[in-house]
Amino acid sequence: MANKDVTDPARMEKIVSLCKRRGFIFQAGELYGGLNGVWDYGPLGAELKRNLKDYWWRKTVQERDDVLGMDGSILTMEQVLVSSGHVGGFSDPMVDCKTCKGRFRADNLETSQCKEKPSVCPGQSPKCELTEPRQFNLMLQTNFGATGEQIAYLRPETAQSIFVQYKNVLDSNRIKLPFGIAQVGKSFRNEINPRNFTFRSREFEQMEIEYFCHPDDGLRLTDEWLETRLSFYEEIGIPRTKLHINDIPDGERAFYSKKTYDIEYEFPFGVQELEGVAYRTDYDLGVHQKGAGKPLEYFDEETKQKFLPHVVEPSAGCDRTVLALICEAFDEETLTDEKGKEDVRTVLRFKPAMAPIKVGIFPLLKKNEEQVRIARDIQKSLQKWMTVFYDDGGAVGRRYRRQDEVGTPFCVTVDFDTLGENGAELKDTVTIRHRDSMEQERMKIDALLPWLLERVR
Ligand code: ATP
C-alpha cells in the first residue's frame, strides 16, 4: 500500500479545475466572492451524487430485510442535542496565531496552511505565536418564533433523529433485533478550517446506519459492517488497495465506543477518512432514555429479556465519497496516432452505475435530417430509463472526448450505415463506442436498451 504521506497537489488542482469547467462542483455564492466551506453541485455533480445516494439506499435499505429507511428533519430540538452531548461537548480544540491571525485545529497543525510566509505550517515558523488551545463548538444554531426566543440547531449529524425515533420505528414496524435504521441527509458543522475542496465542508451530506443489536453481538457486527462497507466501496469503483483501515486504539476512541474503524482513502491530498464504523454500545439510547425520561428498552419475546439495545454505526460522508469517486476516476491517458503524434486524453473512468451521463447520442452529420431524427428517437426512448446527452456539435471525435472528460461510459452514433446506405444488413444499426477501450461495435437499435440496462445500474 502506498505511503500515507504522499500527496499530489498538481493532480488535485487539475481535478478541481475539471470539476468547475465541466459543471460538477462550484463554490457556493461564487458570484459574490464565495462562501467559505460551502459548495454547490452543478448538473453533472448533482447526477453523480444522486447515483451514489441511490446506490447506497438500494444496497443498504432496499436489498436488505433488516434495515429500514427514514428521513429526519434537519432542524433539531435543543434537548436532543443536550442529551446527546453535542451542546456541551461537540467541539474542536483551536489555537490562534497572534502573528498571522489564523485559527487552526490544535490536533491538525501539521496539515494546516499558515498565512504567515514563508512558514509552511502554523506553529513551526519562528514568527508564529500560538495561543493555548480553546474549545470551539461546531454546531450551527438558529432561532424560532416571532422574537426568536426558541433555539434550534441545524443537525451536526443525521444519527440523532434515528436514536430519537428508534422506538417509533420499532413500534410501527414488525421488526426484531438486530435491525438498522438508515438515513441520507444534510448535516452542518461550523468547521474552523474548511479545506481540501469539498472534503471538509460546513454543509455536507451523510449516509448513516444505526444498527441496533443485542449487547453480545456488537463487536461481531462491527466487523461484519466493516466488510460490508468495504465491499460497497469496491462496487462503486474505489478499490480495496486504495483504502486504509484505521483500527482506532484504546484511549483514542470516543469514551463510549468499544471499537472504531476509520475507513480512509488515498486522496491526492493524503490519506483521509471517508467513513467511520463505530460500536457505540448503548450510549445513545441510554442518554436519550435518561434525557427524555422515557423507557427505550427492547423486550425480547423469545428470551423474555429486557435490555437497552447496543448500536453499531457505519457513518459515511456522501460528499467525501463523491470526491473520492472523482479522484479515483480521473485519468490522463497519452495516446499516439498513426503518425506518432502524441495527445493526452482526459477521462473520468467512473463505473457506469456512478457515471452522471450513461450514454452520449450523436448523429454523425448534424445536417442529415434522417440521422438527426433517428438520434432524437433513440434519445427519447432511452431517457425514460437513464440520463443521456444528445450532442451534434463539431467532429464526432471531439464529441467522444467531451464525453470521456465527464466519464460517459458509452456513446451511440447514428451514421450512413444506420440509414442502410452501405448495405441492408447494417440498416437500423448504430455504433456503440466504449469510453475505456475506445473500441466500437455495431448494434441493432432495438437491442440498445436491454444492452445498456444490463450495464448501467
Ligand atoms: P473528521 O475527523 O474528518 O472531522 P469526524 O470523525 O468528525 O470527521 P464523523 O463525526 O464520524 O466525522 O462523521 C461521519 C462522516 O461524516 C465522516 O467520516 C465524513 O465522511 C463525514 N463528515 C464529517 N465531517 C465532515 C465535513 N466537515 N465535511 C464533509 N464530510 C464530513
Side-chain angles (χ1 to χ4, degrees), residues 135-149:
Q135 295 297 327
F136 281 83
N137 196 293
L138 298 176
M139 286 209 294
L140 281 114
Q141 190 182 308
T142 187
N143 295 74
F144 276 13
T147 55
E149 67 281 4

Side-chain angles (χ1 to χ4, degrees), residues 90 92 105 156-157 189 191 198-206 208 262 272-276 313 315-320:
F90 190 54
D92 278 337
R105 254 172 77 163
E157 58 180 28
R189 295 181 190 177
E191 298 281 1
T198 57
F199 179 83
R200 186 172 300 290
S201 312
R202 288 178 167 143
E203 172 174 342
F204 55 96
E205 263 181 288
Q206 293 183 306
E208 294 197 298
D262 281 352
Q272 301 270 354
E273 177 180 329
L274 269 187
E275 166 161 358
E313 178 196 70
S315 170
C318 180
D319 307 77
R320 285 187 187 179

